[in-house]
Amino acid sequence: MEKIKMTTPLVEMDGDEMTRILWKMIKDELLLPFIDLKTEYYDLGLEHRNETNDQVTVDSAKATLKYGVAVKCATITPNAARMTEYDLKEMWKSPNGTIRAILDGTVFRTPIVVKGIDPCVKNWEKPITLARHAYGDVYKNAEIKIPGAGKAELLFTAEDGTIIREEIHNFTGPGILQGMYNTESSIKSFAKACFNYALDTKQDLWFATKDTISKKYDHTFKDIFQEVYDQEYAKKYEEAGIEYFYTLIDDAVARVMKAKGGFIWACKNYDGDVMSDMVSSAFGSLAMMTSVLVSPTGVYEYEAAHGTVQRHYYKHLKGEETSTNSVATIFAWTGALRKRGELDQLPQLVEFADKLEKATLSTIEGGKMTKDLALITSLENVTVLNSEEFIREIRKELEQLF
Ligand code: NAP
Ligand code: MG
């Protein structure tokens, strides 16, 4: 069989620990035998980030802006323990944070639905994609513990010295106080990323806030979404036969539980944090979740939603067998290859991505899976495979599709 050709390189961001091991296995077993793989390789493994003073992370993000599509392996975000473990020069920032800041993106997470791993909510027939605004609000707040009686005010001083002042509360005793913010430009980026993603995947877009109570803060989110929709998307949505739907957050939560799925649910930062954990655990597990960062200019970075699976890696280092689920990492590759294929008009590459996903799912549906899935599946008589065996079984399934 002739290998599938690529025209533009993918930006390949290698990572750490167990996911770095899976990364190589996936390339060797599932990609290189079938594709004349073209990538621009960046080693985001912690050792190399440390050697380059984290310049490699910045370079990989810039390359993503240049080429448009990246695939990223999970990476360690350094903490005190990692400082000693890797003898780091500095506690380098989270690569995801650095990349997000450069690409200015929104993160979309979608459960990978497979027979035998059933959602807890029985009417969810299709996946629900959660789009989380990952900037500002309570994550960038200022808080005060009020010791006793007194007046709390919001105060804004403009550059020209003009002052806007608003009373919050007259305290008669001790209490608590919180101030938070967001920016119009960040909300606009968030809105555009959501509208583009829904259009791209031909699904309805839901957005919800608490605008009836928060008449300025949340209402601004609602207004900006509506403005962006009316100006840039209304016509395109009509043509694509999809809908933009705004409602109150409590109404959205109630509707989501009754819905069949198959839509994008855009959430403010806090709502997205809480609701994405609910939706993902109700669908199965983090290892069965796709995650993609989409910038407002249409740049895509695909990754797995889970971390580097450190505990499994230490077992692997001791020569013990691991049963680590590679599905999310495989789907990061298929997502990136499919997008590259679409952008470069390479139908064979798109088809390959479809086949690899199909082979992965049919392996699981055939009762062959890693331990994490074996623990939650409704299938009977399953075979628990180790990390390598699982990938090799997928290879067998994949070969049958050619
Ligand atoms: P984690 O790597 O997601 O793993 C937590 C636990 O979840 C594992 O110990 C394992 O449970 C289970 N798990 C996660 N992914 C799995 C998979 N593919 N297959 C089977 N089981 C899986 O989170 P962590 O241990 O908290 O973090 C480890 C490192 O990852 C940290 O250094 C953190 O900074 C980094 N991290 C990176 C990203 C990213 O790059 N996107 C995201 C999160 C965390 P059992 O041990 O019970 O089997
Ligand atoms: Mg959370």
Side-chain angles (χ1 to χ4, degrees), residues 39-76:
T39 72
E40 195 164 291
Y41 180 84
Y42 292 87
D43 183 2
L44 266 54
L46 186 50
E47 275 161 24
H48 193 239
R49 274 184 275 149
N50 191 49
E51 275 163 29
T52 62
N53 297 328
D54 209 23
Q55 185 61 37
V56 64
T57 308
V58 174
D59 291 346
S60 72
K62 287 189 176 157
T64 306
L65 285 176
K66 178 177 166 195
Y67 291 112
V69 188
V71 56
K72 182 180 170 292
C73 180
T75 47
I76 293 169

Side-chain angles (χ1 to χ4, degrees), residues 17 19 22 72-79 82 96 109 286-287 303-312 323-328 370 372:
E17 301 195 312
T19 40
L22 297 178
K72 182 180 170 292
C73 180
T75 47
I76 293 169
T77 296
N79 56 15
R82 302 295 198 171
N96 289 325
R109 292 199 163 164
L286 268 191
E303 56 166 15
H306 58 77
T308 59
V309 213
Q310 181 181 16
R311 207 180 63 81
H312 296 205
S323 182
T324 315
N325 188 336
S326 46
V327 172
T370 45
D372 57 312

Side-chain angles (χ1 to χ4, degrees), residues 176-223:
I176 42 179
L177 192 61
Q178 180 182 65
M180 59 183 188
Y181 77 95
N182 223 300
T183 66
E184 284 197 11
S185 82
S186 175
I187 301 168
K188 212 175 233 177
S189 291
F190 170 48
K192 285 189 182 186
C194 292
F195 284 122
N196 281 338
Y197 195 77
L199 199 56
D200 226 45
T201 57
K202 291 230 174 0
Q203 298 182 82
D204 289 347
L205 176 68
W206 295 19
F207 181 49
T209 72
K210 195 70 181 173
D211 66 283
T212 46
I213 301 297
S214 171
K215 290 191 164 59
K216 294 208 172 95
Y217 200 103
D218 277 21
H219 214 290
T220 299
F221 277 82
K222 178 184 176 183
D223 291 343

Side-chain angles (χ1 to χ4, degrees), residues 229-395:
Y229 178 71
D230 292 341
Q231 282 170 11
E232 295 178 43
Y233 294 93
K235 220 172 141 248
K236 291 179 191 159
Y237 271 47
E238 205 177 305
E239 281 163 16
I242 58 172
E243 194 186 328
Y244 167 57
F245 169 63
Y246 177 86
T247 187
L248 278 175
I249 185 69
D250 33 359
D251 181 47
V253 169
R255 282 171 188 258
V256 163
M257 297 310 285
K258 301 274 180 197
K260 289 199 157 77
F263 55 90
I264 320 271
W265 183 13
C267 286
K268 284 177 64 201
N269 209 346
Y270 175 80
D271 298 339
D273 183 354
V274 177
M275 290 304 156
S276 68
D277 282 357
M278 186 192 75
V279 171
S280 68
S281 70
F283 267 106
S285 91
L286 268 191
M288 296 297 286
M289 192 81 160
T290 65
S291 180
V292 58
L293 173 71
V294 184
S295 87
T297 56
V299 164
Y300 295 76
E301 184 234 21
Y302 293 83
E303 56 166 15
H306 58 77
T308 59
V309 213
Q310 181 181 16
R311 207 180 63 81
H312 296 205
Y313 180 59
Y314 289 157
K315 278 177 74 179
H316 171 83
L317 286 182
K318 280 192 268 175
E320 290 171 31
E321 194 172 75
T322 58
S323 182
T324 315
N325 188 336
S326 46
V327 172
T329 307
I330 294 171
F331 274 62
W333 275 101
T334 52
L337 290 168
R338 180 183 296 108
K339 179 55 73 182
R340 198 64 273 165
E342 285 167 4
L343 293 174
D344 296 344
Q345 290 167 1
L346 301 169
Q348 278 194 307
L349 198 58
V350 175
E351 220 171 88
F352 175 79
D354 293 343
K355 283 179 179 165
L356 179 48
E357 289 182 358
K358 203 171 155 205
T360 305
L361 298 182
S362 57
T363 302
I364 299 169
E365 287 172 356
K368 294 169 191 158
M369 58 191 79
T370 45
K371 195 172 154 194
D372 57 312
L373 294 184
L375 289 171
I376 57 170
T377 185
S378 58
L379 298 177
E380 280 165 25
N381 304 320
V382 301
T383 314
V384 180
L385 302 175
N386 68 32
S387 309
E388 220 167 349
E389 287 166 347
F390 180 60
I391 289 172
R392 274 206 225 103
E393 285 302 323
I394 296 172
R395 166 82 179 264

